[in-house]
Amino acid sequence: STCHPVLATVRARRTAKAALWTREQGMEKFLNKYNGGFPDAWYRSSHRDPRLKQHQMWQELLGDGKLRELADGKPHIAAQHILKIMDMPDKPLLHAKNELPRLRDAFMRTERMPAFLIALADLLDAERPTADLYNAYLTAFAALTLGGQKSAMSWPIVTALPYIAQPATHVFLKPASMRNASAGLGVDLKFKSAPNWPTYERTLGFGKNLLEFIQPRSGVDMIDVQAFIAAMVE
């Protein structure tokens, strides 16, 4: 549920470089876009509600242990469910002409789907993300790419699934906006283009810091953090 407390505890470290703006100035930009803040009707319809719909679909199709159960005997059904959740024509999270086709191609490796689904379930079932769990998830994801295919190992694709499954805990990493926001606030994510645990760990800390800032302003989870980041760097 999106009401669960944030489990990631690591905080992104500040760099010696001065921040270009403050979180309060970022909030001003968010309010310029959504006058009513996080409860704003336009904000909810244009951003929050579509992500909540995907999260609710995940809970219905793959929550309560169903993901792990399908890994044992029916991995193709789990793959179909994930693609159904991610292939949302209204306000898609992943790019329909680039990222979604790469995810579909990766999920054709049905013989390797069980290991991937178990690694994803282990990550989601853990009290908090760890290096071992995340690295196992990345390894299993990478193994899904067929020779000659464009790899599905991009930050948006890799982070989309945990983010939709657990928006109280996991962040969606869209490189351009995340890098611009962190640099603007003087935070070093140690960003590397290939998905990796150290960058994601710092991103979780950055997201948690922003969540703590927006919670008194009616922000609820990483869905709201993502919207705050996007508005801050527009």
Side-chain angles (χ1 to χ4, degrees), residues 138-215:
L138 293 180
T139 298
F141 215 140
L144 297 178
T145 301
L146 289 166
Q149 286 182 341
K150 190 171 183 180
S151 174
M153 295 294 289
S154 72
W155 276 116
I157 297 173
V158 164
T159 56
L161 275 59
Y163 168 69
I164 290 300
Q166 293 182 342
T169 302
H170 288 277
V171 296
F172 178 64
L173 201 167
K174 196 170 183 178
S177 57
M178 188 67 74
R179 294 180 72 182
N180 288 340
S182 61
L185 291 172
V187 175
D188 182 9
L189 299 181
K190 299 295 183 184
F191 182 84
K192 292 184 179 179
S193 58
N196 67 92
W197 169 248
T199 296
Y200 189 64
E201 182 184 33
R202 286 172 176 261
T203 303
L204 286 174
F206 180 55
K208 182 177 185 293
N209 180 273
L210 293 181
L211 181 58
E212 290 172 348
F213 171 73
I214 67 174
Q215 278 177 328

Side-chain angles (χ1 to χ4, degrees), residues 54 57-58 62 81-88 164:
Q54 288 180 293
M57 287 177 64
W58 187 289
L62 299 168
H81 287 340
I82 293 173
L83 291 173
K84 178 180 179 180
I85 294 164
M86 302 311 300
D87 190 6
M88 187 175 185
I164 290 300

Side-chain angles (χ1 to χ4, degrees), residues 67-68 71 113-125 132-141:
L67 180 65
R68 198 178 293 277
M113 280 299 296
F116 167 75
L117 296 172
I118 291 298
L120 176 57
D122 288 344
L123 178 65
L124 298 178
D125 290 347
D132 287 345
L133 291 170
Y134 204 72
N135 287 333
Y137 170 63
L138 293 180
T139 298
F141 215 140

Side-chain angles (χ1 to χ4, degrees), residues 41-58:
W42 180 38
Y43 166 68
R44 295 192 67 88
S45 63
S46 64
H47 183 86
R48 183 166 179 82
D49 288 350
R51 299 290 83 83
L52 280 181
K53 181 178 178 180
Q54 288 180 293
H55 172 62
Q56 290 160 1
M57 287 177 64
W58 187 289

